[in-house]
Amino acid sequence: MELGATSRNAAFIAGGTNLVPQIRSSVRSVKTLVDLSGLQELRYIKHQGEQTKVGALTTFADMVSDRKLSQIPAFRALSAGYSSPAVMNLATVGGSIAIRQHTEDILPILLTLDGRVVLERRAGSRIATIEHYVGANGDAAGLVREVRFVKPGEPSHSYFEKLNIGISPIPIASVAVRLKLEDGSVISAVVAVGQAAGSTPGRVASVEKLLRGQKLSEAIIERARLVLQRGIAPLTDALAPTWYRSEVAGALFRRILTKVRRQS
Amino acid sequence: MTGRSAPARALHVTLRVNGAQHKVALHGNERMVDVLRDILGFKSVKEACGSGACGLCTVLVDGKPVHSCLMMAFQGRGKAIMTGEGLGDERHLHPLQQAFIDAGAVQCGYCIPAALLTAKGLLDAQPDPPREEIRRALRSVLCRCGSYLRFEEAILSVAGGVAH
């Protein structure tokens, strides 16, 4: 851990799906690789009461095939939108979290599920919220050991939508939502956008506040869409400009709320 | 491999490919695709995108399809690796190979080893998969000839049949 943390030319490798192409294309120069992939003790999914704990080396294939997690719509959508099943056989949950970027679909989902990450450092372990960990001012030091999150409850109003172009798995926009409803009214709403601030995933407090206590009428959904779009500032890059990503995020959000409205 | 220099500080690894042990001296940063194709000569393993998008370098690792361009070669220690050469040969075709021929699923042929191994990985895990599972599995392989419906037909003809 000391080597991986202190040497600029050293890197940890587990699934390798992010790092290996970077080394191949010389985006990243690495002289020392610290291979974590054999640490089977970091490959587990534990359901404990209202909480789920996932070891960092759990693959996405393991995760989406877990009986309980596969019942949650957000995880089903994650599986359906993932680049390919073969990549899921290698890519690890911990590696994805450690990337801390909008490219990782798991991050907005975890933001809505009160996700926390257990980090190992030489000084010991610590727990950080996903929000703090991925945030621009967050302290990301340490090796991801485990991620914890709450179950979304029954019925599982926990959703994820994304739009990507062609075979590129990188989303133009991605949106995750967790709602608690009672008699058709929103008791609580947690909303996260993969591109909330540039390339950083984050929650959108303004729209969470707006939805609280509301019935999901068409008018409210439209208002919420506009508030969401005003509450985010996605990146501009070669794939899409900020305004387009904002429009897409709004459309995905409206799609989720409309689906919930029809179901409830 | 053309232009490959002998590793100054070699990593000596034994890889089990298609049931046979292969001792190789590796550069630490050599990928599985490079070692399988260029050092060990398994030409069914092809590289196109090099970033895990096309899946043409698919091999089975412990029975699961993975893109060998995303994996370092040393990570194959202790694992069972299968390439297209391990499926069957001209005299003893694998049922999937025969089914691909019967269905006329082979056009340019470039992605066929990857498609066959993807199908084998699926059928070994799920011997009689529904059509949507076959389609989901085939998302891992980019066929530019667009032969997916023929692949699907071939896989369905083998599904639920004899051991794969």
Side-chain angles (χ1 to χ4, degrees), chain B residues 66-88:
Chain B
V66 302
H67 299 331
S68 59
C69 72
L70 297 180
M71 188 176 177
M72 287 301 182
F74 66 80
Q75 293 184 299
R77 285 171 302 187
K79 298 181 187 302
I81 299 159
M82 178 181 268
T83 69
E85 287 85 349
L87 276 171

Side-chain angles (χ1 to χ4, degrees), chain A residues 186 188-192 203-212 227:
Chain A
V186 177
S188 68
V190 189
V191 180
R203 283 172 60 174
V204 189
S206 53
V207 79
E208 292 177 0
K209 188 177 170 190
L210 170 76
L211 286 173
R212 216 170 294 140
V227 169

Side-chain angles (χ1 to χ4, degrees), chain A residues 78-91:
Chain A
L78 172 82
S79 176
Y82 207 90
S83 54
S84 85
V87 176
M88 290 178 114
N89 285 331
L90 284 177

